Amino acid sequence: MSDNKYNPQETESKYYKIWEDRKYFEINGNKDIQEEGKNFSIMMPPPNVTGRLHIGHALTFTLQDIITRYKRMDGYKTLWQPGTDHAGIATQNVVEKQLLAEGITKEEIGREAFLQRAWKWKAESAGIMTEQLRHMGVSPAWERERFTMDEGLQKSVREAFVHLYNEGLIVRGNYMVNWCTHDGALSDIEVEHEEEDGKFYHITYPFADGSGSVEVATTRPETYFGDTAVMVHPDDARYSNLIGKEIKLPLLKRTVKIIADEHVDMDFGTGVVKVTPAHDQNDYEVGKRHDLEFITVFDEKGILNEYAGEFQGLERLEARDIIVKRLDEEGFIVKIEDHKHQVGHCYRCKNVVEPYISKQWFVRKEVADESIKKTNAGEAKFFPPHWINSYNSWMGELRDWCISRQLWWGHQIPVFYCDDCSHEFASQEEHPHACPKCASKNFTQDPDVLDTWFSSALWPFSTLGWGNGDVEMDKLFQSNDMKDFYPNTLLITGFDILFFWVARMMMMGEHFNGALPFNHIYLHALVRDEHGQKMSKSKGNVIDPLDMVNKYSADILRFTLAISAAQGRDIRMSQEKLELNRNFTNKLYNASKYLQMNVKTFPDMSGFCVETDLGRYMMSRLNFATKEVRDYLDEYKFNDAALTMYRFLWNEFCDWGIELSKADKGAIVELGAIFKEAMKLLHPFMPFITEHLYHQLSGTTLENDESIMIKKFPHKTKQRKEEAKFEIIMDAIVSIRRAKVLVDMANQKIQKAYVKIDGISQKDKEMMTPFIAKLAKVEELEFTQEKIQNAVSDIADKCETFIPTDSIDLTPIINKLTKQDEKLQKEIGKLNGMLNNERFVANAPADVLQKNREALAEAQTKQKKVLEQLSSLKA
């Protein structure tokens, strides 16, 4: 800022503490302005307890805060629900690494001691992200902060699980799952597919009777020990006579049969395919169709077992080259080709994922049926609307959701197995007393935990008390929260978790409450660097939001994110944009200083009457900005709303309103009141500087008075007839300034100017004259109906202006313009010569020709202006 009085970092920290201490963020923080029946709720996507604030978070939470502050000021009883996620795999990985650094494994200390370490780590790290969020100026109901494994939410998770279990919608069985040898089972969307340079191995499989062989191509030779068939397409004439023939597996004594299945692509590879039902998703289905044996060739850690013969004990990926070398030595390798293919990786640890048959718990896909119907019936609306297509595309391919994870940190699956009668039962009690079938006390709990997204899927209603019992009721939630805040009004999150989180909240919310959990779903795009590149540490282009807060201010970062957030488009972030918005805050601060140079304090607009022409004009422009900002925010067009504020405050208020007030000092009190009202309009975007300037202009301080954040949001939208008059005033000022440039008197005061305009009254002329004369620097201004002779003129949109040239020596100006014309003539002649030269045009690169054409057009435009000026001066 241009004055030492406003230190953003110091002020932001001080203001935030006052806001939070006064409980402004809580649901009754704005009680005095709440209106009956107006409720608004939005859920914070719970960040991981191990996480740190990145630029994507900064965007999500900025947009959420803007809409929350807007609704709070607009009289809504507002709940922005904060919280953090236990992040099963991520947190367990962190704690395991800590133990390994001490030379200990989790198995050595056991489950109970490991969980104690995990809770200790959670206590140390959970506050990091929420403190970082406070630096962004966000205003969620911190007193209601939840953790996905707090006592109430644990009860909620158990209730949801037991309901689905008893309905037959949670089942357990041997399924083929995505398996990470480090992190265990993963759902489909937790697997990241990347194109890799691999190999295509062509292997000879000999017939068992010694009569020959077939050639099989595979990318994964280490799984061939689990082959239980070789298949060809039933219509493939090359191999029809081989169907049913037995084949001997290389290096093994085991034989398998050649089968026919339409799954085979006859045109790919050799048209002969190995079938490994326990280690390939497609082969799994083939195995079920043909009743093949399912042979698992490595264990949960990826170590080859006894089926791999001499290779038993090797890790699956490390074994590949060893197995291929041995096959080659024995003459089974025909050739090895380079081959690009998609490989699945664990989204957490990046380990190569295996299709693996394992006993797991699943939520049946039928749980989603009603949520899909209701979403397509329009009960939830996407912003931008095209995301409904992505949602439907994924939901149309939905499979059962694997919810069990081979971890210790998380919600342990509430299923118990009786040691005496073998009964399996699910219980909402954390520690059931006895087996419900035989009353035995000898039972054990399933050791697995639930997928993190299971508890997150309940977030829109578990945080409102659903299934919590009375655990911390009236502190973390109220008894009427479900009625007031479900369905949530809005969800704002990144498009990248549409399926991880959003779709699952929709299926769970609808299933348990009969209504989709959100009315509106806003999915924002990625924040990229200024060149449109995705940010990454390896590229060195990461913008740390906290660094930007420290360097610029939370306000500047927030406004930059908001003004860049066009629906459906990636955001390009740059230091240049931040600098531009720092200039905007300087503009606001300097406007406030100017106002206070003339008047010490200013009234609030409430009950204040605006009487001057300039005041009524600026009030009308504020009303128009208010209408636009409201309309845009109601449609979640954050960039348009921010742009409206920028346009009004910089272009209209500062560039014109303040300048025009120099011709009417009596309007300054009204302008100050209007500026204060504009600070309320801007507050959701820039909460700190608006608070500061509002109090400064009011002669108050936040410490001793009420915050701007619980003042009523501007609502007047009526425009006034003064606008048309001031459009003429501003048009005339700009026109006279242009005419002055023609006679080299741009910043000088001139003796006289004329304004030619039709259809205005004498009263309007008298009102307009002081404004035009003052800002155009004219001693005497006269309105005319005639064209003035011996004068330079300028034609504007709404008027024509004239500056008499009788007393001005035009010779040096005409000479200067004549020289410019001669120089431009030469340039145009040279460019025309080149572009009319057929040989040059035929041989010159396309970009050179384009540059020459653009240079010619530019020179011709300049010459036209010069000739017009000369004509005006010689007239």
Side-chain angles (χ1 to χ4, degrees):
M1 289 295 167
S2 57
D3 190 304
N4 292 329
K5 287 181 186 174
Y6 187 77
N7 176 318
Q9 287 71 25
E10 187 183 304
T11 305
E12 290 176 358
S13 175
K14 180 175 70 175
Y15 284 179
Y16 195 91
K17 187 174 188 314
I18 294 171
W19 292 338
E20 193 172 350
D21 289 348
R22 288 186 190 169
K23 304 184 190 299
Y24 285 144
F25 306 158
E26 307 307 318
I27 59 173
N28 286 318
N30 64 336
K31 197 166 184 59
D32 291 345
I33 60 169
Q34 280 180 12
E35 297 172 36
E36 188 68 34
K38 287 174 75 170
N39 295 331
F40 173 82
S41 57
I42 186 169
M43 294 285 148
M44 178 182 287
N48 293 352
V49 286
T50 57
R52 292 188 68 81
L53 190 73
H54 59 63
I55 199 73
H57 290 130
L59 174 63
T60 299
F61 296 123
T62 292
L63 299 183
Q64 288 190 323
D65 194 52
I66 288 168
I67 206 76
T68 300
R69 286 178 181 273
Y70 163 51
K71 294 293 184 180
R72 190 184 286 126
M73 293 176 76
D74 207 29
Y76 284 79
K77 183 179 182 181
T78 301
L79 169 62
W80 181 9
Q81 175 65 55
T84 50
D85 192 282
H86 66 278
I89 292 176
T91 303
Q92 177 147 331
N93 281 344
V94 169
V95 179
E96 279 193 62
K97 283 175 185 170
Q98 290 173 350
L99 290 172
L100 289 172
E102 298 168 24
I104 314 168
T105 66
K106 73 179 196 299
E107 287 75 18
E108 285 170 348
I109 64 169
R111 185 170 192 143
E112 193 173 327
F114 179 83
L115 290 176
Q116 286 174 1
R117 285 288 294 257
W119 277 105
K120 180 171 177 283
W121 165 246
K122 181 263 173 188
E124 290 171 5
S125 64
I128 294 173
M129 177 73 89
T130 51
E131 278 309 305
Q132 291 174 330
L133 286 174
R134 284 172 165 86
H135 287 297
M136 290 289 300
V138 303
S139 60
W142 286 121
E143 289 192 352
R144 297 172 56 122
E145 185 180 344
R146 303 303 297 264
F147 173 54
T148 50
M149 278 174 59
D150 69 29
E151 187 183 351
L153 296 192
Q154 287 198 41
K155 286 173 72 75
S156 176
V157 166
R158 287 198 296 273
E159 179 158 334
F161 184 98
V162 172
H163 269 287
L164 292 168
Y165 177 90
N166 290 337
E167 290 175 280
L169 291 169
I170 285 184
V171 293
R172 187 182 189 225
N174 283 315
Y175 285 75
M176 176 159 279
V177 297
N178 303 296
W179 187 266
C180 171
T181 57
H182 181 262
D183 293 321
L186 303 171
S187 64
D188 291 345
I189 52 174
E190 289 172 317
V191 180
E192 295 177 343
H193 291 276
E194 297 170 11
E195 188 171 79
E196 289 190 358
D197 293 323
K199 302 287 184 186
F200 219 14
Y201 302 90
H202 291 252
I203 304 171
T204 296
Y205 280 40
F207 295 132
D209 61 8
S211 61
S213 65
V214 289
E215 186 182 315
V216 174
T218 179
T219 58
R220 304 177 66 220
E222 69 277 4
T223 64
Y224 90 89
F225 310 110
D227 290 0
T228 52
V230 167
M231 63 178 167
V232 296
H233 195 283
D235 298 335
D236 194 336
R238 292 173 295 174
Y239 305 116
S240 56
N241 63 323
L242 300 181
I243 295 167
K245 201 169 174 67
E246 286 204 335
I247 281 181
K248 189 177 176 185
L249 292 177
L251 306 180
L252 302 177
K253 294 177 182 176
R254 195 157 56 82
T255 60
V256 299
K257 283 188 177 178
I258 295 178
I259 61 171
D261 193 280
E262 290 185 348
H263 172 67
V264 179
D265 181 353
M266 288 188 284
D267 300 322
F268 185 72
T270 62
V272 182
V273 183
K274 65 197 276 304
V275 185
T276 321
H279 292 284
D280 182 275
Q281 186 63 54
N282 294 318
D283 292 1
Y284 177 72
E285 300 299 331
V286 172
K288 287 196 291 186
R289 281 199 292 276
H290 293 269
D291 198 24
L292 299 176
E293 187 180 0
F294 286 66
I295 297 175
T296 301
V297 300
F298 51 76
D299 66 14
E300 294 176 354
K301 298 297 180 187
I303 306 301
L304 293 171
N305 60 22
E306 67 277 9
Y307 284 101
E310 64 190 88
F311 307 104
Q312 182 176 356
L314 295 175
E315 197 278 332
R316 61 188 170 133
L317 298 178
E318 293 169 4
R320 182 177 294 171
D321 288 345
I322 298 167
I323 294 165
V324 169
K325 183 172 182 286
R326 185 83 172 86
L327 286 169
D328 194 26
E329 287 169 354
E330 294 295 323
F332 291 107
I333 297 291
V334 179
K335 62 180 174 180
I336 302 172
E337 301 173 310
D338 290 333
H339 176 64
K340 283 189 183 293
H341 60 140
Q342 294 284 327
V343 178
H345 294 79
C346 173
Y347 82 116
R348 281 293 177 197
C349 69
K350 309 307 175 192
N351 185 16
V352 173
V353 168
E354 294 286 350
Y356 192 73
I357 294 174
S358 175
K359 188 169 271 194
Q360 302 291 339
W361 288 98
F362 288 80
V363 173
R364 293 179 64 86
K365 64 182 180 181
E366 287 76 15
V367 172
D369 288 350
E370 285 303 310
S371 66
I372 296 169
K373 283 181 196 169
K374 288 183 178 180
T375 301
N376 281 283
E379 289 189 26
K381 187 178 177 186
F382 282 97
F383 296 82
H386 69 77
W387 282 112
I388 186 76
N389 301 326
S390 301
Y391 169 84
N392 282 328
S393 174
W394 189 71
M395 298 306 269
E397 301 292 320
L398 194 64
R399 297 197 298 176
D400 292 350
W401 168 20
C402 178
I403 56 167
S404 44
R405 297 290 181 271
Q406 290 63 53
L407 304 171
W408 288 352
W409 174 248
H411 293 272
Q412 193 169 351
I413 289 174
V415 172
F416 301 83
Y417 309 102
C418 180
D419 298 335
D420 293 335
C421 74
S422 302
H423 179 57
E424 174 190 298
F425 62 98
S427 174
Q428 291 183 32
E429 297 175 57
E430 188 177 3
H431 303 292
H433 301 297
C435 169
K437 187 175 181 183
C438 72
S440 167
K441 298 198 183 294
N442 298 321
F443 51 84
T444 53
Q445 186 171 359
D446 193 298
D448 286 353
V449 300
L450 288 165
D451 177 11
T452 299
W453 299 101
F454 187 93
S455 50
S456 299
L458 311 178
W459 189 251
F461 52 98
S462 62
T463 51
L464 302 178
W466 186 94
N468 284 217
D470 56 3
V471 177
E472 298 206 78
M473 180 147 76
D474 298 325
K475 182 186 174 189
L476 294 179
F477 65 94
Q478 307 291 321
S479 58
N480 60 343
D481 278 356
M482 283 295 288
K483 179 173 71 71
D484 286 348
F485 300 123
Y486 190 92
N488 304 164
T489 314
L490 171 66
L491 174 73
I492 295 180
T493 191
F495 74 89
D496 51 333
I497 54 173
L498 172 57
F499 310 121
F500 274 113
W501 190 44
V502 181
R504 285 168 175 170
M505 287 190 287
M506 292 167 81
M507 66 174 78
M508 293 296 211
E510 192 289 324
H511 186 79
F512 288 112
N513 301 292
L516 295 173
F518 322 105
N519 297 325
H520 292 163
I521 301 162
Y522 176 97
L523 299 173
H524 64 70
L526 290 175
V527 184
R528 297 180 179 272
D529 71 9
E530 60 191 305
H531 307 295
Q533 296 290 311
K534 195 170 180 179
M535 291 187 194
S536 69
K537 288 178 184 173
S538 61
K539 289 179 188 166
N541 63 346
V542 172
I543 293 177
D544 185 317
L546 293 173
D547 288 348
M548 297 306 102
V549 168
N550 291 330
K551 182 174 180 181
Y552 294 98
S553 75
D555 282 335
I556 290 167
L557 176 59
R558 289 166 61 108
F559 194 76
T560 305
L561 287 166
I563 206 166
S564 308
Q567 279 186 22
R569 290 214 303 269
D570 285 341
I571 289 171
R572 292 194 177 194
M573 235 355 221
S574 66
Q575 298 271 352
E576 185 185 2
K577 284 185 178 179
L578 290 158
E579 295 284 354
L580 281 172
N581 291 316
R582 173 152 62 189
N583 295 342
F584 179 50
T585 58
N586 284 337
K587 195 85 169 173
L588 298 177
Y589 193 70
N590 290 334
S592 172
K593 277 174 65 183
Y594 167 80
L595 291 166
Q596 287 196 294
M597 276 166 47
N598 293 276
V599 180
K600 190 73 177 163
T601 61
F602 299 86
D604 241 26
M605 283 306 304
S606 177
F608 178 69
C609 190
V610 177
E611 296 177 342
T612 69
D613 290 307
L614 177 57
R616 283 195 288 262
Y617 166 68
M618 286 312 305
M619 191 70 227
S620 183
R621 295 312 298 159
L622 174 66
N623 289 353
F624 179 69
T626 299
K627 181 181 187 309
E628 282 203 324
V629 169
R630 281 181 164 275
D631 288 348
Y632 287 138
L633 286 179
D634 289 343
E635 287 290 317
Y636 316 121
K637 293 179 177 176
F638 296 97
N639 64 310
D640 290 324
L643 202 56
T644 293
M645 290 306 312
Y646 190 93
R647 182 205 70 218
F648 170 72
L649 282 161
W650 188 308
N651 299 351
E652 297 181 14
F653 189 89
C654 294
D655 284 358
W656 279 111
I658 281 180
E659 287 303 303
L660 290 165
S661 75
K662 292 170 183 175
D664 182 8
K665 295 286 188 182
I668 286 180
V669 170
E670 296 171 357
L671 291 187
I674 290 164
F675 188 74
K676 280 176 59 180
E677 195 71 2
M679 290 302 96
K680 295 177 190 173
L681 204 61
L682 182 62
H683 176 76
F685 299 87
M686 291 182 154
F688 296 107
I689 193 169
T690 52
E691 182 84 88
H692 177 79
L693 295 178
Y694 179 83
H695 284 292
Q696 196 172 64
L697 292 167
S698 303
T700 57
T701 63
L702 177 60
E703 289 85 342
N704 301 315
D705 205 1
E706 204 173 56
S707 170
I708 191 175
M709 73 178 285
I710 53 166
K711 301 285 185 187
K712 285 289 283 181
F713 198 74
H715 60 276
K716 292 179 180 174
T717 56
K718 185 180 177 185
Q719 289 182 260
R720 305 178 65 103
K721 64 179 183 296
E722 280 82 7
E723 286 202 19
K725 295 175 188 175
F726 276 87
E727 283 170 11
I728 293 170
I729 289 170
M730 292 184 290
D731 209 40
I733 292 165
V734 171
S735 182
I736 292 171
R737 286 172 176 173
R738 279 200 301 260
K740 285 166 71 179
V741 169
L742 293 177
V743 290
D744 268 3
M745 299 186 75
N747 293 314
Q748 296 175 45
K749 197 161 198 175
I750 60 172
Q751 184 62 37
K752 189 162 187 175
Y754 294 86
V755 177
K756 179 177 180 292
I757 186 166
D758 301 322
I760 58 167
S761 67
Q762 185 58 35
K763 186 181 175 185
D764 286 345
K765 290 175 185 175
E766 288 169 8
M767 184 275 281
M768 293 177 181
T769 297
F771 290 111
I772 299 171
K774 177 79 173 175
L775 270 70
K777 293 185 178 177
V778 177
E779 288 282 359
E780 183 186 348
L781 184 79
E782 189 176 318
F783 285 85
T784 179
Q785 296 298 308
E786 308 296 329
K787 186 175 176 70
I788 305 298
Q789 299 302 313
N790 301 320
V792 290
S793 66
D794 179 87
I795 299 173
D797 290 339
K798 300 181 183 297
C799 65
E800 190 172 358
T801 58
F802 304 90
I803 298 174
T805 55
D806 299 344
S807 59
I808 303 171
D809 181 5
L810 298 177
T811 307
I813 302 165
I814 291 170
N815 289 342
K816 179 180 157 187
L817 290 169
T818 303
K819 283 179 183 173
Q820 283 182 18
D821 176 41
E822 289 167 359
K823 185 179 175 186
L824 286 165
Q825 278 182 41
K826 284 180 185 174
E827 190 177 341
I828 290 165
K830 179 185 168 188
L831 289 165
N832 265 327
M834 283 194 290
L835 292 168
N836 290 326
N837 183 326
E838 290 180 12
R839 191 171 174 186
F840 172 76
V841 171
N843 295 316
D847 62 325
V848 170
L849 287 173
Q850 182 61 26
K851 280 178 185 171
N852 281 339
R853 289 188 188 106
E854 287 170 3
L856 177 61
E858 189 181 344
Q860 288 169 334
T861 302
K862 283 181 184 174
Q863 189 193 33
K864 186 183 174 190
K865 285 182 180 174
V866 167
L867 291 172
E868 284 171 357
Q869 290 173 10
L870 277 167
S871 173
S872 173
L873 293 171
K874 290 174 179 177

